Amino acid sequence: MTKAARFLLSGSGWPYLLVPFIPIAVALELAHAEATLIFAAAAGGVIPTAALMGRATEELSHRAGPGIGGFLNVTFGNAPELIIAFFALKEGLQEVVKASLIGSILGNILLVMGAAMLVGGLKRERQTFNPTAASVQSSMLLLAAVALVMPTIFQLVHGGGLPRVGEKVVDFGSDLEQMSLVVSIILLGSYAAGLVFSLRSHRALFNPTHGAEEHMDEPWSVRTAVITLASAGVAVGVMSEILVGSISEASASIGLSEFFVGLIVVAIVGNAAEHWVAIYFAARDKMDLSVNIAIGSSAQIALFAAPVLVLISFLVGPNPMALVFNGFELGAILLAILIANHVTHDGESTWYEGLQLLAVYAVLGVVFFYA
């Protein structure tokens, strides 16, 4: 088997098998094919472009050192989700954006961490990871949840209704829009402090070594990484615009609500490559990395991606996006974060804990399907 074939069949190389979906999605869009076909092809095309962005970012991070490298990971780590959400905001699909944010957090905590614990624990009695690092990230996530949930509680206390499933955009008024803006700025400030904590003052907790076995080929040059990152960013943008443009019609034709598509399908597609990496590391008994990816990515969504999208919504879309979630999203995010805190507090995991997390995700998926 050639070196290229071994890479494509490896844990980090499989997303590139989906590269043909990129020209297929473009061709279907230009041919005005059925929305379902366009959506499926674009979803497949997002995965390798997101994986390529992640790889280029990782190469730049290795070259730049832990400090700047960590900043690059933060800046570009959620780029695919942010790009998809940006085009959704332009289309006025604010409720889809909020659903995809909640879906990303749920997917990381329940689906990814559950699958990682299950796969990693099948051949081992238990796996261990650093409980201090996991606890810090879980606490960051819990604090972010408080900030995200309070505007919704404000809306309820003042007699306003929550957005209904199926709505695309809701105007909650200037008070909630301004409140969401201030909350977003506070979250970004908190996240900046978290970066200082994880990248400088307590760096050793959050930077476990990957091991030589994960480097399957020669490191990229800075020029190659920058060109690849820029090219992948353009490709993600094209795929995201096609994906978002077909959501409404595709969801109607296949009998799924836009709420379910945003919460489950779009969230999984935007994070698929990163999800697989977490499971890949867990299978090799590197649970520190897997837990950091799962909970750390959720914290990035809550503390960085969500507030950035609120700020962007003041520039694009019909009106600013308020941090007011529907009842299903509200209940799911609180329960998921409480579960994450409980599962990671002892620094140990078993396959059964992973199965339980997957069961919770499946239950939520069933409820979202019928919502």
Side-chain angles (χ1 to χ4, degrees):
M1 185 181 292
T2 65
K3 185 177 181 180
R6 287 199 305 272
F7 173 71
L8 288 174
L9 296 176
S10 69
S12 56
W14 73 268
Y16 304 110
L17 294 172
L18 303 178
V19 166
F21 281 105
I22 298 173
I24 290 173
V26 174
L28 290 173
E29 174 72 7
L30 294 175
H32 303 290
E34 289 186 10
T36 304
L37 294 177
I38 296 174
F39 180 84
V46 166
I47 294 173
T49 54
L52 197 58
M53 283 196 76
R55 174 68 190 277
T57 302
E58 184 180 355
E59 293 290 341
L60 284 174
S61 299
H62 287 316
R63 294 280 186 178
I68 298 176
F71 176 75
L72 289 171
N73 276 319
V74 169
T75 305
F76 295 106
N78 292 298
E81 298 98 301
L82 286 171
I83 293 171
I84 292 172
F86 171 78
F87 284 106
L89 285 176
K90 282 185 64 179
E91 294 291 324
L93 303 175
Q94 292 187 357
E95 295 307 312
V96 173
V97 171
K98 287 189 279 188
S100 68
L101 289 172
I102 298 298
S104 294
I105 295 174
L106 297 178
N108 280 307
I109 294 175
L110 300 175
L111 178 61
V112 177
M113 192 157 65
M117 289 181 174
L118 175 61
V119 172
L122 285 177
K123 296 181 180 180
R124 303 171 182 89
E125 182 178 352
R126 61 173 53 85
Q127 290 181 288
T128 60
F129 50 88
N130 189 323
T132 304
S135 176
V136 169
Q137 291 180 322
S138 296
S139 297
M140 289 170 60
L141 193 54
L142 185 59
L143 292 173
V146 172
L148 292 176
V149 165
M150 284 309 298
T152 305
I153 295 176
F154 176 90
Q155 172 76 352
L156 286 173
V157 170
H158 283 75
L162 298 183
R164 295 187 301 274
V165 173
E167 289 185 294
K168 295 181 179 180
V169 59
V170 181
D171 186 357
F172 290 100
S174 60
D175 283 349
L176 273 166
E177 291 170 358
Q178 293 171 11
M179 182 189 304
S180 298
L181 175 64
V182 175
V183 167
S184 297
I185 293 171
I186 294 172
L187 286 176
L188 288 173
S190 174
Y191 192 54
L195 288 180
V196 174
F197 183 81
S198 61
L199 298 178
R200 293 184 64 87
S201 64
H202 291 71
R203 187 171 60 198
L205 287 176
F206 298 90
N207 290 277
T209 57
H210 288 236
E213 67 183 76
E214 310 307 336
H215 302 289
M216 301 194 65
D217 48 16
E218 294 299 320
W220 293 357
S221 67
V222 173
R223 182 173 180 271
T224 298
V226 170
I227 292 174
T228 302
L229 183 62
S231 302
V234 172
V236 169
V238 173
M239 289 297 100
S240 299
E241 186 170 15
I242 295 174
L243 181 76
V244 169
S246 61
I247 280 181
S248 297
E249 191 175 342
S251 60
S253 64
I254 60 180
L256 295 175
S257 66
E258 290 182 22
F259 173 66
F260 182 85
V261 171
L263 204 63
I264 302 295
V265 181
V266 173
I268 290 178
V269 166
N271 294 279
E274 189 177 44
H275 288 179
W276 179 256
V277 170
I279 299 169
Y280 178 77
F281 282 133
R284 282 148 184 78
D285 203 21
K286 297 178 181 291
M287 279 303 294
D288 270 315
L289 287 166
S290 296
V291 172
N292 281 347
I293 290 171
I295 302 182
S297 295
S298 295
Q300 284 187 5
I301 293 294
L303 290 165
F304 179 73
V308 165
L309 288 170
V310 170
L311 299 182
I312 292 174
S313 72
F314 278 80
L315 304 176
V316 301
N319 55 270
M321 183 176 72
L323 292 173
V324 179
F325 300 94
N326 66 43
F328 294 107
E329 295 165 340
L330 187 65
I333 192 66
L334 290 176
L335 291 173
I337 292 174
L338 289 175
I339 290 171
N341 275 270
H342 178 73
V343 169
T344 58
H345 80 282
D346 60 353
E348 293 185 351
S349 66
T350 63
W351 68 264
Y352 184 60
E353 285 180 313
L355 184 64
Q356 289 176 311
L357 291 177
L358 291 176
V360 173
Y361 189 76
V363 168
L364 292 177
V366 170
V367 174
F368 298 152
F369 177 79
Y370 285 99

